[in-house]
Amino acid sequence: MSSEQHPNLGLAQGEINVKSLGVKGDGTNDTQPILDALNSIKTTGGVLYFPKGIYSTDPIDLTSFKNIVLRGCNETNHFPYIPQTIIKIRSAGEVGIKCSSTGVETPIEEGRGILIENIYLDCDYKVDIGINMNLAVTVKNTCVRYSNGHGIVLEGKSYPVELRRVVSQFNKGHGLYVKAPFTTVYNLYDCEFGFNDLYGGYVEDGSTCLWQNVLVQSNKQGGLKFKQQNPNLYSKPIFLERFNFANLYTEANGTLDPSDPNYEGNYALRIEGFNTDGSISTGKIADFSFTNCSVNKSPKGNFAYIRGTDGLTIKNSPNLNDAVDTAYNRSVRRFIGTSRFDGLLDLSNLKGGQIKFPAVQLPSTDPNILDDYEEGTFAFEIGQNAAASFTPSVTKICRYIKVGRVVHCFVDYEWSDKSTADGVFYAMAKNLPHPVVGGTYEAVSYVEMVVSGGTTDRWSIAPLAGATQCYFRKNGSTVYAKISDFPASGRLSCVFSYVSAT
C-alpha cells in the first residue's frame, strides 16, 4: 500500500522521505534542508514525502520546477484541516509556496506539472499569498490558513488547474483569488473557503470552469464575487464564461458594517460584467449555470447581485430564483440578456417592478417569445390611399400600445369636411403605427367602430396586409366603404387592434 493511504507503513514507490535528506520536521528552521531536497529533484522531477511533523521554513519558490510532487501525510479519509504534515512559514515573503510569478500577465518562469497534497500550510500571517498557481498545478487534500493576504491565487497561464478537497481559511484577503488576465481553465471539487476577511472567492477571469460541492461560509466581505475587469487594461484577453456551479452552498457571508471601507453590500453572490455604456453587448459574462445551489445570506447581508450576464441558467436553486433583485440588488432591471430561469421568474421583489425593452427591436419569428413592449402616439387620418385626406377640425393625439406583435390603437379623430377626397374611392384609415402582418385580411383583427356626425351607422375595419393602412366596411358588409359613405363632417372614437408584421 502507498504512504498516501497509510503513511506509517513506509514510502510509496519513487518517493523520497525528506528526513533522509536532513530535513528535521521538529519546528526548527528547515529552510536550507528543504531547499536542498527540492534541488535534488529539480532537473529530474520526483516526489518529496513529508512525514508527520512541523516543517518551519522560509517561503518556497517552485517557479522553475517541473513535474514534482510535495506530499504530506494527512490521510485522504480525513478532512484536510486536520494538521499532521504542517509546513509553517517562518519569515515574511510574497508567497508561501510560489508556483507562478506574481503581478505579470504571462510569467517568464513557471512551475509546471506540480502536485501539492496532504499538507497543512500555516502562513502565520507572514506572507501575502499562501499558494499561487499557474500551468498544470494541482492541490489536493490541503489546507491553507493564516495568510496576511489571499489564501490561494491563480494567475498567469493557469490551465489546467485543479483544487480537490482544499480548504482556505482565516486569511486576511480572499480565500481564493483568480486574477485577470489569461487565467482560464480551472476546476474545484469538494472545497471550502471560509472565515476570510474579504470574499471567500474573488474571480476576475476564467473559462470552462467547474465548481462542484463547494462550501463558502463566514467570509466578512461576502461569499463569491465574479467581476469582469476592463479588457482595455490588459494585452491578454479577459474571459468570464462557461462556469458551471453544482451543489454550491453559501452561509453567513457578508458581515461588514456599511461604514467599513471594504463594504460592498454583504452579498452571498455578486456577479458583475464589465460595462461602460449600459449595453449588454459590451463586457457581458456568458453562460453561468447554477444547479442545486443554496445561496444563503448572513443576517447583515443580501442574497445576490447579478449584472452583465448572458445565458444565465438557474435550476433548483430557490434562493437565487426568489431573491434576485432584493432592495439592494437591481440585477433584473437590465443587463440580463438571454439569461434563462427555469420555472417562474418572480419579479415581485423588483424595485419598481418594471421590464424595459430596448428602443430598437430584434424581432423573433418564434411565437413563444415576447419581443417588446412599446407605447407611443401616431397621426391618424381618414382619406384615400396615396391621395387626399379629410380635413381635421381639431388636432388630437392618437395613442397606441404594442405588446409583442399585437397593436392596440386608441383613436379620437374629428373632421370638418372631406377636403378633395374623391367619393368613388375606398375610404382608408392611414398612418398606423406599425405595418400589418402579411397574408389575407381575415388573419387580422376586426373591431367595430362608431362614427358620429350625421349617421348612426356602425363600421368595422380590415387592415391591409403589409401596409400601415386599413379599409373600412359598413354595417357588416363585405364590400369596402367609399369616401361617399362618410358624412361631410363627423367624429370617429374607437379602439381597434391588429397583428403587426414585426
Side-chain angles (χ1 to χ4, degrees):
M1 293 184 178
S2 74
S3 62
E4 182 181 359
Q5 296 170 315
H6 297 287
N8 296 323
L9 298 182
L11 298 176
Q13 186 175 3
E15 286 184 342
I16 300 173
N17 190 324
V18 294
K19 289 191 174 182
S20 69
L21 300 177
V23 179
K24 297 178 181 179
D26 59 1
T28 58
N29 186 359
D30 273 324
T31 300
Q32 190 59 49
I34 289 176
L35 179 60
D36 293 341
L38 289 169
N39 285 332
S40 72
I41 61 170
K42 184 173 184 178
T43 58
T44 60
V47 181
L48 292 181
Y49 172 60
F50 291 76
K52 183 176 181 180
I54 299 176
Y55 299 85
S56 180
T57 178
D58 290 349
I60 296 172
D61 189 346
L62 303 178
T63 54
S64 59
F65 283 74
K66 308 290 188 292
N67 303 319
I68 69 166
V69 178
L70 303 185
R71 177 174 293 151
C73 73
N74 288 10
E75 295 186 47
T76 57
N77 59 348
H78 286 82
F79 208 58
Y81 50 60
I82 297 176
Q84 296 186 69
T85 295
I86 302 173
I87 294 181
K88 187 177 180 68
I89 304 301
R90 60 179 297 273
S91 62
E94 188 178 60
V95 183
I97 299 179
K98 184 176 183 179
C99 305
S100 170
S101 299
T102 60
V104 295
E105 293 188 13
T106 305
I108 299 173
E109 290 292 335
E110 305 171 292
R112 304 188 184 192
I114 295 174
L115 170 61
I116 300 169
E117 63 178 350
N118 307 342
I119 286 173
Y120 180 104
L121 179 62
D122 182 352
C123 298
D124 199 26
Y125 297 121
K126 287 185 168 64
V127 296
D128 294 332
I129 300 170
I131 299 175
N132 76 334
M133 309 162 62
N134 56 355
L135 193 62
V137 177
T138 299
V139 179
K140 294 172 59 178
N141 207 55
T142 289
C143 181
V144 181
R145 281 182 166 180
Y146 308 120
S147 170
N148 195 46
H150 312 304
I152 299 171
V153 173
L154 277 59
E155 60 182 325
K157 294 181 179 179
S158 294
Y159 63 91
V161 165
E162 179 179 307
L163 303 181
R164 187 180 292 272
R165 290 175 60 85
V166 170
V167 173
S168 181
Q169 297 177 323
F170 301 106
N171 302 290
K172 291 188 177 181
H174 307 302
L176 171 67
Y177 180 21
V178 182
K179 297 179 66 174
F182 218 48
T183 302
T184 51
V185 180
Y186 53 92
N187 296 310
L188 283 64
Y189 305 92
D190 307 320
C191 294
E192 177 185 347
F193 305 104
F195 307 98
N196 299 288
D197 284 2
L198 298 182
Y199 282 95
Y202 185 95
V203 180
E204 297 174 344
D205 207 349
S207 175
T208 319
C209 303
L210 173 62
W211 293 48
Q212 180 171 298
N213 302 337
V214 176
L215 171 64
V216 182
Q217 65 172 336
S218 301
N219 300 283
K220 293 180 181 179
Q221 192 175 22
L224 294 177
K225 180 176 178 179
F226 296 84
K227 181 177 177 61
Q228 190 175 52
Q229 296 294 335
N230 186 343
N232 298 325
L233 299 178
Y234 304 96
S235 63
K236 302 298 181 182
I238 303 293
F239 301 102
L240 261 178
E241 58 188 12
R242 293 187 293 278
F243 273 66
N244 206 336
F245 301 87
N247 305 329
L248 168 70
Y249 184 87
T250 74
E251 184 69 61
N253 296 287
T255 57
L256 296 179
D257 187 85
S259 62
D260 192 291
N262 291 320
Y263 176 79
E264 291 188 336
N266 286 339
Y267 286 98
L269 175 66
R270 187 177 179 98
I271 300 177
E272 298 180 28
F274 170 74
N275 207 288
T276 57
D277 60 2
S279 169
I280 188 64
S281 63
T282 60
K284 61 192 175 188
I285 293 174
D287 299 322
F288 271 37
S289 68
F290 294 86
T291 304
N292 299 330
C293 297
S294 293
V295 177
N296 304 296
K297 64 184 182 66
S298 75
K300 292 185 177 181
N302 298 286
F303 282 101
Y305 177 98
I306 304 173
R307 188 181 96 166
T309 65
D310 188 16
L312 176 67
T313 303
I314 300 174
K315 293 183 179 180
N316 196 28
S317 304
N319 286 346
L320 282 180
N321 276 327
D322 296 342
V324 168
D325 203 17
T326 60
Y328 294 95
N329 178 11
R330 299 167 178 82
S331 63
V332 176
R333 185 177 56 153
R334 57 180 179 174
F335 304 118
I336 293 298
T338 59
S339 299
R340 172 185 167 196
F341 293 81
D342 285 9
L344 175 67
L345 176 57
D346 185 354
L347 304 181
S348 60
N349 287 323
L350 276 172
K351 187 174 183 180
Q354 299 126 339
I355 299 175
K356 183 177 181 180
F357 292 90
V360 178
Q361 300 299 314
L362 297 175
S364 172
T365 57
D366 188 339
N368 295 316
I369 289 180
L370 175 63
D371 297 290
D372 65 346
Y373 178 91
E374 181 181 319
E375 295 183 17
T377 61
F378 67 107
F380 182 85
E381 292 182 353
I382 298 176
Q384 300 170 219
N385 184 20
S389 298
F390 292 3
T391 301
S393 59
V394 180
T395 301
K396 294 187 177 181
I397 296 174
C398 297
R399 297 187 176 274
Y400 73 94
I401 296 176
K402 182 176 185 287
V403 182
R405 297 179 65 185
V406 178
V407 182
H408 305 282
C409 297
F410 303 83
V411 173
D412 185 8
Y413 178 79
E414 189 173 356
W415 67 95
S416 57
D417 64 71
K418 292 189 286 186
S419 186
T420 59
D422 193 325
V424 300
F425 287 94
Y426 295 131
M428 305 193 74
K430 299 159 55 170
N431 301 332
L432 300 183
H434 286 274
V436 179
V437 68
T440 62
Y441 304 138
E442 285 72 20
V444 294
S445 173
Y446 291 81
V447 180
E448 268 198 336
M449 305 181 194
V450 176
V451 178
S452 62
T455 178
T456 57
D457 294 329
R458 290 184 176 270
W459 304 74
S460 62
I461 62 165
L464 176 60
T468 57
Q469 301 170 348
C470 60
Y471 290 106
F472 286 95
R473 287 177 174 147
K474 183 177 180 180
N475 293 332
S477 173
T478 60
V479 179
Y480 299 134
K482 297 179 180 180
I483 296 294
S484 58
D485 293 323
F486 279 75
S489 62
R491 184 173 182 176
L492 187 151
S493 298
C494 68
V495 178
F496 66 91
S497 304
Y498 65 93
V499 179
S500 170
T502 58

mmCIF file of all heavy atoms in Angstrom, residues 1 12 32 39 73 84 92 97 113 119 132 136 169 181-182 245 289 333 349 353 375 390 437 482 492:
data_model
loop_
_atom_site.group_PDB
_atom_site.id
_atom_site.type_symbol
_atom_site.label_atom_id
_atom_site.label_comp_id
_atom_site.label_asym_id
_atom_site.label_seq_id
_atom_site.Cartn_x
_atom_site.Cartn_y
_atom_site.Cartn_z
ATOM 1 N N MET A 1 0.842 -1.196 0.000
ATOM 2 C CA MET A 1 0.000 0.000 0.000
ATOM 3 C C MET A 1 0.881 1.252 0.000
ATOM 4 O O MET A 1 2.006 1.236 0.482
ATOM 5 C CB MET A 1 -0.894 0.024 1.244
ATOM 6 C CG MET A 1 -1.933 -1.070 1.277
ATOM 7 S SD MET A 1 -3.020 -0.888 2.705
ATOM 8 C CE MET A 1 -4.130 -2.277 2.401
ATOM 9 N N ALA A 12 5.672 5.198 -0.719
ATOM 10 C CA ALA A 12 5.211 4.664 -1.992
ATOM 11 C C ALA A 12 6.387 4.621 -2.949
ATOM 12 O O ALA A 12 7.418 5.264 -2.745
ATOM 13 C CB ALA A 12 4.100 5.537 -2.556
ATOM 14 N N GLN A 32 16.993 25.576 4.635
ATOM 15 C CA GLN A 32 18.060 25.101 3.742
ATOM 16 C C GLN A 32 17.926 23.618 3.417
ATOM 17 O O GLN A 32 18.050 23.241 2.232
ATOM 18 C CB GLN A 32 19.434 25.394 4.354
ATOM 19 C CG GLN A 32 20.591 25.149 3.381
ATOM 20 C CD GLN A 32 20.479 25.997 2.117
ATOM 21 O OE1 GLN A 32 20.257 27.207 2.198
ATOM 22 N NE2 GLN A 32 20.619 25.365 0.942
ATOM 23 N N ASN A 39 16.084 20.894 -4.715
ATOM 24 C CA ASN A 39 17.086 20.954 -5.784
ATOM 25 C C ASN A 39 17.528 19.571 -6.235
ATOM 26 O O ASN A 39 17.966 19.396 -7.376
ATOM 27 C CB ASN A 39 18.297 21.772 -5.331
ATOM 28 C CG ASN A 39 18.008 23.263 -5.309
ATOM 29 O OD1 ASN A 39 17.168 23.747 -6.062
ATOM 30 N ND2 ASN A 39 18.686 23.999 -4.428
ATOM 31 N N CYS A 73 1.435 13.759 4.931
ATOM 32 C CA CYS A 73 0.842 12.509 5.407
ATOM 33 C C CYS A 73 -0.584 12.694 5.909
ATOM 34 O O CYS A 73 -1.128 11.791 6.554
ATOM 35 C CB CYS A 73 1.715 11.879 6.498
ATOM 36 S SG CYS A 73 1.640 12.746 8.082
ATOM 37 N N GLN A 84 -1.334 17.253 10.307
ATOM 38 C CA GLN A 84 -0.358 16.189 10.554
ATOM 39 C C GLN A 84 0.984 16.605 9.946
ATOM 40 O O GLN A 84 1.963 16.739 10.658
ATOM 41 C CB GLN A 84 -0.851 14.860 9.966
ATOM 42 C CG GLN A 84 -2.123 14.358 10.643
ATOM 43 C CD GLN A 84 -2.521 12.982 10.176
ATOM 44 O OE1 GLN A 84 -1.842 12.005 10.474
ATOM 45 N NE2 GLN A 84 -3.616 12.902 9.437
ATOM 46 N N ALA A 92 8.759 36.554 6.567
ATOM 47 C CA ALA A 92 7.906 37.288 5.631
ATOM 48 C C ALA A 92 8.352 37.057 4.197
ATOM 49 O O ALA A 92 9.527 36.837 3.908
ATOM 50 C CB ALA A 92 7.929 38.773 5.963
ATOM 51 N N ILE A 97 4.036 29.229 -0.902
ATOM 52 C CA ILE A 97 4.519 28.266 -1.886
ATOM 53 C C ILE A 97 4.247 28.887 -3.250
ATOM 54 O O ILE A 97 3.101 29.013 -3.679
ATOM 55 C CB ILE A 97 3.815 26.909 -1.756
ATOM 56 C CG1 ILE A 97 4.081 26.305 -0.376
ATOM 57 C CG2 ILE A 97 4.307 25.950 -2.840
ATOM 58 C CD1 ILE A 97 3.402 24.962 -0.145
ATOM 59 N N GLY A 113 3.317 21.142 -13.937
ATOM 60 C CA GLY A 113 3.184 19.753 -13.538
ATOM 61 C C GLY A 113 3.477 19.557 -12.061
ATOM 62 O O GLY A 113 4.132 18.587 -11.679
ATOM 63 N N ILE A 119 -1.196 18.284 2.832
ATOM 64 C CA ILE A 119 -0.358 19.223 3.588
ATOM 65 C C ILE A 119 -1.244 20.276 4.257
ATOM 66 O O ILE A 119 -2.262 20.698 3.715
ATOM 67 C CB ILE A 119 0.670 19.906 2.658
ATOM 68 C CG1 ILE A 119 1.792 18.927 2.293
ATOM 69 C CG2 ILE A 119 1.263 21.163 3.286
ATOM 70 C CD1 ILE A 119 2.755 19.443 1.261
ATOM 71 N N ASN A 132 0.344 30.332 -4.831
ATOM 72 C CA ASN A 132 -0.138 30.799 -6.131
ATOM 73 C C ASN A 132 0.195 29.756 -7.188
ATOM 74 O O ASN A 132 1.151 28.999 -7.077
ATOM 75 C CB ASN A 132 0.400 32.183 -6.478
ATOM 76 C CG ASN A 132 1.842 32.164 -6.924
ATOM 77 O OD1 ASN A 132 2.603 31.277 -6.566
ATOM 78 N ND2 ASN A 132 2.227 33.157 -7.709
ATOM 79 N N ALA A 136 -0.767 23.833 -15.094
ATOM 80 C CA ALA A 136 -0.792 22.423 -14.705
ATOM 81 C C ALA A 136 -0.329 22.215 -13.267
ATOM 82 O O ALA A 136 0.592 21.459 -12.978
ATOM 83 C CB ALA A 136 0.067 21.584 -15.659
ATOM 84 N N GLN A 169 -8.769 29.192 4.693
ATOM 85 C CA GLN A 169 -9.480 29.811 5.810
ATOM 86 C C GLN A 169 -8.609 30.823 6.547
ATOM 87 O O GLN A 169 -7.378 30.761 6.518
ATOM 88 C CB GLN A 169 -9.908 28.747 6.828
ATOM 89 C CG GLN A 169 -10.891 27.722 6.323
ATOM 90 C CD GLN A 169 -11.191 26.689 7.391
ATOM 91 O OE1 GLN A 169 -10.309 26.302 8.159
ATOM 92 N NE2 GLN A 169 -12.434 26.240 7.446
ATOM 93 N N PRO A 181 -5.123 38.998 -16.264
ATOM 94 C CA PRO A 181 -5.787 38.298 -17.354
ATOM 95 C C PRO A 181 -5.211 36.911 -17.559
ATOM 96 O O PRO A 181 -4.229 36.524 -16.923
ATOM 97 C CB PRO A 181 -5.430 39.178 -18.539
ATOM 98 C CG PRO A 181 -3.999 39.560 -18.240
ATOM 99 C CD PRO A 181 -3.915 39.710 -16.736
ATOM 100 N N PHE A 182 -5.822 36.173 -18.461
ATOM 101 C CA PHE A 182 -5.263 34.946 -19.017
ATOM 102 C C PHE A 182 -5.263 33.784 -18.043
ATOM 103 O O PHE A 182 -4.500 32.862 -18.162
ATOM 104 C CB PHE A 182 -3.843 35.197 -19.545
ATOM 105 C CG PHE A 182 -3.544 34.448 -20.803
ATOM 106 C CD1 PHE A 182 -4.439 34.467 -21.843
ATOM 107 C CD2 PHE A 182 -2.380 33.730 -20.939
ATOM 108 C CE1 PHE A 182 -4.168 33.770 -23.015
ATOM 109 C CE2 PHE A 182 -2.089 33.026 -22.099
ATOM 110 C CZ PHE A 182 -2.989 33.062 -23.144
ATOM 111 N N PHE A 245 -21.791 25.671 -11.794
ATOM 112 C CA PHE A 245 -21.807 25.526 -10.342
ATOM 113 C C PHE A 245 -22.800 24.426 -9.986
ATOM 114 O O PHE A 245 -23.993 24.526 -10.298
ATOM 115 C CB PHE A 245 -22.219 26.829 -9.667
ATOM 116 C CG PHE A 245 -21.317 27.993 -9.993
ATOM 117 C CD1 PHE A 245 -21.542 28.776 -11.113
ATOM 118 C CD2 PHE A 245 -20.237 28.289 -9.183
ATOM 119 C CE1 PHE A 245 -20.719 29.840 -11.419
ATOM 120 C CE2 PHE A 245 -19.401 29.354 -9.488
ATOM 121 C CZ PHE A 245 -19.642 30.124 -10.606
ATOM 122 N N SER A 289 -24.149 28.750 -15.068
ATOM 123 C CA SER A 289 -25.280 27.904 -14.680
ATOM 124 C C SER A 289 -25.134 27.504 -13.219
ATOM 125 O O SER A 289 -24.032 27.204 -12.751
ATOM 126 C CB SER A 289 -25.354 26.655 -15.561
ATOM 127 O OG SER A 289 -24.267 25.791 -15.323
ATOM 128 N N ARG A 333 -33.297 44.578 -13.560
ATOM 129 C CA ARG A 333 -33.728 45.798 -14.229
ATOM 130 C C ARG A 333 -33.124 45.908 -15.623
ATOM 131 O O ARG A 333 -33.749 46.357 -16.562
ATOM 132 C CB ARG A 333 -33.349 47.014 -13.398
ATOM 133 C CG ARG A 333 -33.871 48.313 -13.976
ATOM 134 C CD ARG A 333 -33.540 49.479 -13.108
ATOM 135 N NE ARG A 333 -32.125 49.580 -12.852
ATOM 136 C CZ ARG A 333 -31.504 50.719 -12.587
ATOM 137 N NH1 ARG A 333 -32.182 51.829 -12.539
ATOM 138 N NH2 ARG A 333 -30.224 50.743 -12.341
ATOM 139 N N ASN A 349 -40.209 41.198 -6.253
ATOM 140 C CA ASN A 349 -39.271 41.921 -5.393
ATOM 141 C C ASN A 349 -38.499 43.006 -6.132
ATOM 142 O O ASN A 349 -37.638 43.657 -5.552
ATOM 143 C CB ASN A 349 -38.272 40.942 -4.766
ATOM 144 C CG ASN A 349 -38.902 40.101 -3.695
ATOM 145 O OD1 ASN A 349 -39.745 40.574 -2.940
ATOM 146 N ND2 ASN A 349 -38.528 38.837 -3.625
ATOM 147 N N GLY A 353 -40.716 47.129 -10.209
ATOM 148 C CA GLY A 353 -41.445 46.061 -10.870
ATOM 149 C C GLY A 353 -41.548 46.201 -12.370
ATOM 150 O O GLY A 353 -42.545 45.810 -12.969
ATOM 151 N N GLU A 375 -45.074 51.996 -26.236
ATOM 152 C CA GLU A 375 -46.172 52.947 -26.192
ATOM 153 C C GLU A 375 -45.772 54.182 -26.999
ATOM 154 O O GLU A 375 -44.604 54.557 -27.024
ATOM 155 C CB GLU A 375 -46.484 53.375 -24.752
ATOM 156 C CG GLU A 375 -46.986 52.271 -23.859
ATOM 157 C CD GLU A 375 -47.340 52.775 -22.470
ATOM 158 O OE1 GLU A 375 -47.499 54.007 -22.323
ATOM 159 O OE2 GLU A 375 -47.453 51.955 -21.551
ATOM 160 N N PHE A 390 -59.128 63.633 -45.149
ATOM 161 C CA PHE A 390 -60.116 64.540 -44.575
ATOM 162 C C PHE A 390 -59.399 65.681 -43.843
ATOM 163 O O PHE A 390 -58.267 65.532 -43.370
ATOM 164 C CB PHE A 390 -61.017 63.811 -43.583
ATOM 165 C CG PHE A 390 -61.940 62.800 -44.198
ATOM 166 C CD1 PHE A 390 -61.906 62.516 -45.563
ATOM 167 C CD2 PHE A 390 -62.858 62.122 -43.411
ATOM 168 C CE1 PHE A 390 -62.765 61.588 -46.117
ATOM 169 C CE2 PHE A 390 -63.712 61.187 -43.960
ATOM 170 C CZ PHE A 390 -63.668 60.913 -45.324
ATOM 171 N N VAL A 437 -49.492 42.521 -40.341
ATOM 172 C CA VAL A 437 -48.918 41.242 -40.718
ATOM 173 C C VAL A 437 -49.353 40.861 -42.127
ATOM 174 O O VAL A 437 -50.452 41.169 -42.572
ATOM 175 C CB VAL A 437 -49.331 40.141 -39.699
ATOM 176 C CG1 VAL A 437 -50.814 39.835 -39.781
ATOM 177 C CG2 VAL A 437 -48.520 38.862 -39.935
ATOM 178 N N LYS A 482 -66.764 53.486 -49.281
ATOM 179 C CA LYS A 482 -66.179 54.532 -50.108
ATOM 180 C C LYS A 482 -66.205 55.868 -49.364
ATOM 181 O O LYS A 482 -66.896 56.022 -48.362
ATOM 182 C CB LYS A 482 -66.944 54.642 -51.425
ATOM 183 C CG LYS A 482 -66.868 53.372 -52.268
ATOM 184 C CD LYS A 482 -67.670 53.527 -53.552
ATOM 185 C CE LYS A 482 -67.588 52.252 -54.388
ATOM 186 N NZ LYS A 482 -68.370 52.359 -55.649
ATOM 187 N N LEU A 492 -64.819 60.179 -35.157
ATOM 188 C CA LEU A 492 -64.614 58.736 -35.004
ATOM 189 C C LEU A 492 -63.863 58.501 -33.691
ATOM 190 O O LEU A 492 -62.747 58.993 -33.522
ATOM 191 C CB LEU A 492 -63.819 58.189 -36.188
ATOM 192 C CG LEU A 492 -63.648 56.679 -36.275
ATOM 193 C CD1 LEU A 492 -63.511 56.260 -37.733
ATOM 194 C CD2 LEU A 492 -62.403 56.220 -35.517
#
